[in-house]
mmCIF file of all heavy atoms in Angstrom:
data_model
loop_
_atom_site.group_PDB
_atom_site.id
_atom_site.type_symbol
_atom_site.label_atom_id
_atom_site.label_comp_id
_atom_site.label_asym_id
_atom_site.label_seq_id
_atom_site.Cartn_x
_atom_site.Cartn_y
_atom_site.Cartn_z
ATOM 1 N N GLU A 1 -0.026 -17.150 -3.471
ATOM 2 C CA GLU A 1 -0.955 -17.575 -4.485
ATOM 3 C C GLU A 1 -2.445 -17.412 -4.070
ATOM 4 O O GLU A 1 -2.711 -17.479 -2.999
ATOM 5 C CB GLU A 1 -0.806 -19.145 -4.837
ATOM 6 C CG GLU A 1 -1.562 -19.793 -5.782
ATOM 7 C CD GLU A 1 -1.273 -21.300 -5.901
ATOM 8 O OE1 GLU A 1 -0.081 -21.632 -6.299
ATOM 9 O OE2 GLU A 1 -2.144 -22.089 -5.498
ATOM 10 N N ALA A 2 -3.215 -17.106 -4.959
ATOM 11 C CA ALA A 2 -4.673 -16.942 -4.732
ATOM 12 C C ALA A 2 -5.320 -18.355 -4.570
ATOM 13 O O ALA A 2 -5.316 -19.089 -5.443
ATOM 14 C CB ALA A 2 -5.428 -16.246 -5.846
ATOM 15 N N SER A 3 -5.833 -18.586 -3.404
ATOM 16 C CA SER A 3 -6.521 -19.848 -3.146
ATOM 17 C C SER A 3 -8.042 -19.794 -3.508
ATOM 18 O O SER A 3 -8.695 -20.787 -3.591
ATOM 19 C CB SER A 3 -6.412 -20.216 -1.614
ATOM 20 O OG SER A 3 -6.797 -19.157 -0.810
ATOM 21 N N THR A 4 -8.563 -18.596 -3.716
ATOM 22 C CA THR A 4 -9.912 -18.375 -4.266
ATOM 23 C C THR A 4 -9.777 -17.136 -5.110
ATOM 24 O O THR A 4 -8.796 -16.450 -5.263
ATOM 25 C CB THR A 4 -10.965 -18.157 -3.078
ATOM 26 O OG1 THR A 4 -10.610 -16.861 -2.533
ATOM 27 C CG2 THR A 4 -10.937 -19.236 -2.130
ATOM 28 N N SER A 5 -10.822 -16.840 -5.843
ATOM 29 C CA SER A 5 -10.928 -15.663 -6.688
ATOM 30 C C SER A 5 -10.666 -14.388 -5.613
ATOM 31 O O SER A 5 -11.491 -14.331 -4.705
ATOM 32 C CB SER A 5 -12.178 -15.503 -7.356
ATOM 33 O OG SER A 5 -12.269 -14.353 -8.113
ATOM 34 N N SER A 6 -9.772 -13.571 -5.927
ATOM 35 C CA SER A 6 -9.400 -12.540 -4.866
ATOM 36 C C SER A 6 -9.300 -11.183 -5.609
ATOM 37 O O SER A 6 -8.751 -11.103 -6.616
ATOM 38 C CB SER A 6 -8.206 -12.974 -4.147
ATOM 39 O OG SER A 6 -8.381 -14.189 -3.471
ATOM 40 N N GLU A 7 -9.564 -10.238 -4.724
ATOM 41 C CA GLU A 7 -9.314 -8.734 -5.044
ATOM 42 C C GLU A 7 -8.265 -8.195 -4.123
ATOM 43 O O GLU A 7 -8.549 -8.196 -2.865
ATOM 44 C CB GLU A 7 -10.627 -8.002 -5.111
ATOM 45 C CG GLU A 7 -10.511 -6.665 -5.723
ATOM 46 C CD GLU A 7 -11.942 -5.984 -5.881
ATOM 47 O OE1 GLU A 7 -12.624 -6.127 -4.881
ATOM 48 O OE2 GLU A 7 -12.146 -5.285 -6.931
ATOM 49 N N VAL A 8 -7.234 -7.574 -4.657
ATOM 50 C CA VAL A 8 -6.124 -7.115 -3.889
ATOM 51 C C VAL A 8 -5.880 -5.538 -4.210
ATOM 52 O O VAL A 8 -5.782 -5.290 -5.470
ATOM 53 C CB VAL A 8 -4.862 -7.889 -4.048
ATOM 54 C CG1 VAL A 8 -3.702 -7.232 -3.254
ATOM 55 C CG2 VAL A 8 -5.178 -9.271 -3.604
ATOM 56 N N LEU A 9 -5.822 -4.774 -3.153
ATOM 57 C CA LEU A 9 -5.398 -3.277 -3.343
ATOM 58 C C LEU A 9 -3.953 -3.178 -2.975
ATOM 59 O O LEU A 9 -3.524 -3.554 -1.935
ATOM 60 C CB LEU A 9 -6.272 -2.497 -2.474
ATOM 61 C CG LEU A 9 -5.973 -0.976 -2.542
ATOM 62 C CD1 LEU A 9 -6.465 -0.392 -3.883
ATOM 63 C CD2 LEU A 9 -6.687 -0.217 -1.424
ATOM 64 N N PHE A 10 -3.152 -2.776 -3.958
ATOM 65 C CA PHE A 10 -1.779 -2.668 -3.790
ATOM 66 C C PHE A 10 -1.321 -1.142 -3.427
ATOM 67 O O PHE A 10 -1.876 -0.183 -4.089
ATOM 68 C CB PHE A 10 -0.931 -3.126 -4.951
ATOM 69 C CG PHE A 10 -0.908 -4.619 -5.205
ATOM 70 C CD1 PHE A 10 -1.815 -5.090 -6.088
ATOM 71 C CD2 PHE A 10 -0.024 -5.305 -4.491
ATOM 72 C CE1 PHE A 10 -1.831 -6.480 -6.402
ATOM 73 C CE2 PHE A 10 -0.016 -6.716 -4.615
ATOM 74 C CZ PHE A 10 -0.940 -7.305 -5.619
ATOM 75 N N ILE A 11 -0.543 -0.997 -2.405
ATOM 76 C CA ILE A 11 -0.097 0.351 -2.005
ATOM 77 C C ILE A 11 1.372 0.440 -2.252
ATOM 78 O O ILE A 11 2.193 -0.270 -1.664
ATOM 79 C CB ILE A 11 -0.495 0.719 -0.575
ATOM 80 C CG1 ILE A 11 -1.956 0.479 -0.328
ATOM 81 C CG2 ILE A 11 0.035 2.095 -0.167
ATOM 82 C CD1 ILE A 11 -2.375 0.595 1.186
ATOM 83 N N GLU A 12 1.800 1.312 -3.093
ATOM 84 C CA GLU A 12 3.196 1.377 -3.568
ATOM 85 C C GLU A 12 4.053 1.951 -2.347
ATOM 86 O O GLU A 12 3.582 2.726 -1.552
ATOM 87 C CB GLU A 12 3.331 2.209 -4.832
ATOM 88 C CG GLU A 12 2.682 1.595 -6.019
ATOM 89 C CD GLU A 12 2.720 2.422 -7.250
ATOM 90 O OE1 GLU A 12 3.379 3.502 -7.190
ATOM 91 O OE2 GLU A 12 2.124 2.020 -8.265
ATOM 92 N N GLU A 13 5.327 1.600 -2.543
ATOM 93 C CA GLU A 13 6.331 1.962 -1.470
ATOM 94 C C GLU A 13 6.348 3.489 -1.370
ATOM 95 O O GLU A 13 6.317 4.021 -0.256
ATOM 96 C CB GLU A 13 7.690 1.473 -1.793
ATOM 97 C CG GLU A 13 8.781 1.718 -0.806
ATOM 98 C CD GLU A 13 10.194 1.153 -1.291
ATOM 99 O OE1 GLU A 13 10.377 -0.072 -1.286
ATOM 100 O OE2 GLU A 13 11.008 1.983 -1.764
ATOM 101 N N MET A 14 6.525 4.276 -2.466
ATOM 102 C CA MET A 14 6.597 5.760 -2.321
ATOM 103 C C MET A 14 5.308 6.255 -1.850
ATOM 104 O O MET A 14 5.361 7.260 -1.037
ATOM 105 C CB MET A 14 6.857 6.158 -3.740
ATOM 106 C CG MET A 14 8.379 5.919 -4.172
ATOM 107 S SD MET A 14 9.626 6.319 -3.017
ATOM 108 C CE MET A 14 9.354 8.080 -2.793
ATOM 109 N N SER A 15 4.166 5.777 -2.165
ATOM 110 C CA SER A 15 2.847 6.311 -1.607
ATOM 111 C C SER A 15 2.883 6.179 -0.101
ATOM 112 O O SER A 15 2.475 7.056 0.627
ATOM 113 C CB SER A 15 1.730 5.551 -2.308
ATOM 114 O OG SER A 15 0.560 6.006 -1.776
ATOM 115 N N LEU A 16 3.263 4.897 0.308
ATOM 116 C CA LEU A 16 3.259 4.626 1.690
ATOM 117 C C LEU A 16 4.232 5.575 2.516
ATOM 118 O O LEU A 16 3.950 6.082 3.521
ATOM 119 C CB LEU A 16 3.645 3.172 1.895
ATOM 120 C CG LEU A 16 3.362 2.529 3.347
ATOM 121 C CD1 LEU A 16 1.847 2.714 3.713
ATOM 122 C CD2 LEU A 16 3.598 1.154 3.447
ATOM 123 N N LEU A 17 5.415 5.769 1.936
ATOM 124 C CA LEU A 17 6.391 6.583 2.516
ATOM 125 C C LEU A 17 5.964 8.063 2.660
ATOM 126 O O LEU A 17 6.130 8.683 3.754
ATOM 127 C CB LEU A 17 7.736 6.584 1.670
ATOM 128 C CG LEU A 17 9.041 7.317 2.240
ATOM 129 C CD1 LEU A 17 9.373 6.684 3.578
ATOM 130 C CD2 LEU A 17 10.128 7.167 1.262
ATOM 131 N N GLU A 18 5.256 8.509 1.655
ATOM 132 C CA GLU A 18 4.797 9.933 1.762
ATOM 133 C C GLU A 18 3.698 9.978 2.890
ATOM 134 O O GLU A 18 3.548 10.906 3.615
ATOM 135 C CB GLU A 18 4.185 10.229 0.389
ATOM 136 C CG GLU A 18 5.175 10.649 -0.676
ATOM 137 C CD GLU A 18 6.116 11.736 -0.204
ATOM 138 O OE1 GLU A 18 5.555 12.748 0.282
ATOM 139 O OE2 GLU A 18 7.326 11.682 -0.450
ATOM 140 N N ASN A 19 2.909 8.875 3.045
ATOM 141 C CA ASN A 19 1.860 8.827 4.026
ATOM 142 C C ASN A 19 2.559 8.783 5.468
ATOM 143 O O ASN A 19 1.935 9.371 6.271
ATOM 144 C CB ASN A 19 0.943 7.691 3.890
ATOM 145 C CG ASN A 19 -0.404 7.755 4.438
ATOM 146 O OD1 ASN A 19 -0.498 7.204 5.601
ATOM 147 N ND2 ASN A 19 -1.330 8.435 3.842
ATOM 148 N N PHE A 20 3.650 8.061 5.530
ATOM 149 C CA PHE A 20 4.341 8.021 6.823
ATOM 150 C C PHE A 20 4.781 9.406 7.235
ATOM 151 O O PHE A 20 4.714 9.850 8.427
ATOM 152 C CB PHE A 20 5.588 7.222 6.751
ATOM 153 C CG PHE A 20 5.344 5.637 6.596
ATOM 154 C CD1 PHE A 20 6.357 4.825 6.392
ATOM 155 C CD2 PHE A 20 4.111 5.169 6.888
ATOM 156 C CE1 PHE A 20 6.145 3.431 6.339
ATOM 157 C CE2 PHE A 20 3.715 3.833 6.863
ATOM 158 C CZ PHE A 20 4.933 2.986 6.622
ATOM 159 N N LYS A 21 5.217 10.248 6.231
ATOM 160 C CA LYS A 21 5.640 11.600 6.592
ATOM 161 C C LYS A 21 4.494 12.499 6.984
ATOM 162 O O LYS A 21 4.688 13.349 7.992
ATOM 163 C CB LYS A 21 6.378 12.223 5.360
ATOM 164 C CG LYS A 21 7.680 11.556 4.881
ATOM 165 C CD LYS A 21 8.085 12.037 3.662
ATOM 166 C CE LYS A 21 9.551 11.428 3.127
ATOM 167 N NZ LYS A 21 9.936 12.014 1.795
ATOM 168 N N LYS A 22 3.404 12.335 6.413
ATOM 169 C CA LYS A 22 2.298 13.135 6.871
ATOM 170 C C LYS A 22 1.617 12.754 8.175
ATOM 171 O O LYS A 22 1.057 13.351 8.810
ATOM 172 C CB LYS A 22 1.301 13.224 5.670
ATOM 173 C CG LYS A 22 1.641 13.932 4.418
ATOM 174 C CD LYS A 22 0.509 13.878 3.400
ATOM 175 C CE LYS A 22 1.031 14.471 2.100
ATOM 176 N NZ LYS A 22 -0.006 14.386 0.966
ATOM 177 N N HIS A 23 1.723 11.399 8.323
ATOM 178 C CA HIS A 23 0.929 10.735 9.445
ATOM 179 C C HIS A 23 1.893 9.793 10.180
ATOM 180 O O HIS A 23 1.930 8.539 9.848
ATOM 181 C CB HIS A 23 -0.308 9.975 8.936
ATOM 182 C CG HIS A 23 -1.261 10.867 8.193
ATOM 183 N ND1 HIS A 23 -2.133 11.676 8.742
ATOM 184 C CD2 HIS A 23 -1.312 11.150 6.823
ATOM 185 C CE1 HIS A 23 -2.880 12.321 7.848
ATOM 186 N NE2 HIS A 23 -2.417 12.002 6.736
ATOM 187 N N PRO A 24 2.785 10.266 11.087
ATOM 188 C CA PRO A 24 3.838 9.437 11.710
ATOM 189 C C PRO A 24 3.138 8.333 12.457
ATOM 190 O O PRO A 24 3.786 7.256 12.616
ATOM 191 C CB PRO A 24 4.442 10.383 12.752
ATOM 192 C CG PRO A 24 4.290 11.795 12.069
ATOM 193 C CD PRO A 24 2.905 11.653 11.426
#
C-alpha cells in the first residue's frame, strides 16, 4: 500500500528477461 503519494516505475517480466539475456 502507498503510505504517501508515490511514483512507481514497473518493469515487466518479459522486459527484464530480455535484459538478463543481453546483460548476464
Side-chain angles (χ1 to χ4, degrees):
E1 182 180 293
S3 50
T4 66
S5 178
S6 304
E7 193 175 36
V8 178
L9 180 68
F10 290 99
I11 303 174
E12 297 177 1
E13 181 180 286
M14 289 308 299
S15 177
L16 195 59
L17 186 59
E18 286 301 315
N19 202 265
F20 285 173
K21 292 177 181 178
K22 293 180 181 178
H23 304 276

